Amino acid sequence: MNYMNFALRWQQCPLPLVAILRGVTPHEAQGVAETLLECGFTYLEVPLNSPQPLESIAIMAKTIGSKGFVGAGTVLTEHQVHQVAEAGGQLIISPNMEPSVIRAAYELGLISMPGIATPSEAFTALRTGASALKLFPAELVTPTIAKAMSVVLPAETVCLPVGGINPDSEQMRSYLNSGARGFGLGGGLYQSGISLATLRERAMAYRHAWQQANQK
């Protein structure tokens, strides 16, 4: 799915936050997916360096059904793209900008979110078929840099800062004012082994921060 088509889909997302679930296990997958869905999260990422990630993706995809999108993070090779697709995943998210991975995802009709940190990487990713751009790490791609890139990127481009994003409406607002259209949330949202009650509390804190950041 190219960036123009994805932008239309993303506009319909009530809570444009990607939950990064590094370390989640198949045993936890259903409960985690159900909890996040109840909190409004519809984009769930299981990094491939988690325990048995493909099994967790399959469980979450079945749990979420047509209510959202599930896929993998830390996708580095074409082979992994095909593995994720076979498990029922729809998202291919990477820390880097690897054209072969983007191309494989595009050819399978999946949502591709490669990591970029420079304008050159951004334009190459879009030209290759990326659906959205993961601004990573966000500690490096500051709001000032994100704004500079948004000026030259196609207006439809969905840019998502990832890395060090806290449930802080002011931090979020600074990125939104710089052209971001959502965020990827990692350790501040989920850590391996946390209880569903804690996950729910954190998810609602991020949801509240997002709502506050969008107030005029």
Side-chain angles (χ1 to χ4, degrees):
M1 179 180 295
N2 68 24
Y3 69 93
M4 291 181 287
N5 292 332
F6 181 73
L8 296 175
R9 174 177 289 180
W10 192 252
Q11 289 174 1
Q12 301 170 3
C13 181
L15 188 63
L17 305 175
V18 179
I20 303 170
L21 307 170
R22 192 178 307 279
V24 69
T25 66
H27 175 72
E28 301 167 305
Q30 182 176 345
V32 167
E34 290 174 342
T35 298
L36 289 170
L37 190 62
E38 290 169 3
C39 294
F41 285 74
T42 55
Y43 283 81
L44 309 184
E45 169 195 337
V46 178
L48 290 182
N49 54 4
S50 302
Q52 299 172 275
L54 298 174
E55 186 175 342
S56 291
I57 289 169
I59 292 170
M60 288 187 174
K62 183 177 180 179
T63 301
I64 294 292
S66 62
K67 297 177 182 178
F69 304 89
V70 177
T74 320
V75 181
L76 305 177
T77 68
E78 294 178 66
H79 178 64
Q80 290 174 334
V81 173
H82 287 274
Q83 287 182 311
V84 173
E86 290 171 2
Q90 302 151 296
L91 305 178
I92 300 296
I93 304 177
S94 304
N96 61 334
M97 197 289 296
E98 172 50 57
S100 64
V101 169
I102 299 171
R103 193 173 298 111
Y106 179 80
E107 291 173 352
L108 290 172
L110 305 180
I111 297 169
S112 171
M113 297 182 179
I116 67 96
T118 68
S120 294
E121 291 179 337
F123 279 107
T124 299
L126 295 178
R127 186 170 60 250
T128 307
S131 308
L133 301 177
K134 170 181 173 179
L135 306 184
F136 180 77
E139 295 93 336
L140 178 65
V141 187
T142 64
T144 300
I145 294 174
K147 184 173 184 178
M149 284 200 280
S150 71
V151 172
V152 297
L153 290 173
E156 303 88 351
T157 309
V158 173
C159 293
L160 308 175
V162 179
I165 303 301
N166 302 308
D168 178 344
S169 60
E170 290 304 316
Q171 182 195 35
M172 288 186 171
R173 185 178 293 115
S174 67
Y175 273 109
L176 294 177
N177 290 339
S178 299
R181 297 194 186 182
F183 300 91
L185 311 175
L189 173 66
Y190 177 85
Q191 292 174 324
S192 179
I194 68 170
S195 68
L196 293 181
T198 298
L199 177 61
R200 183 183 300 276
E201 180 180 345
R202 292 182 179 185
M204 293 306 294
Y206 273 107
R207 178 176 177 172
H208 179 69
W210 169 260
Q211 293 169 339
Q212 290 293 109
N214 279 274
Q215 289 184 353
K216 303 297 184 183

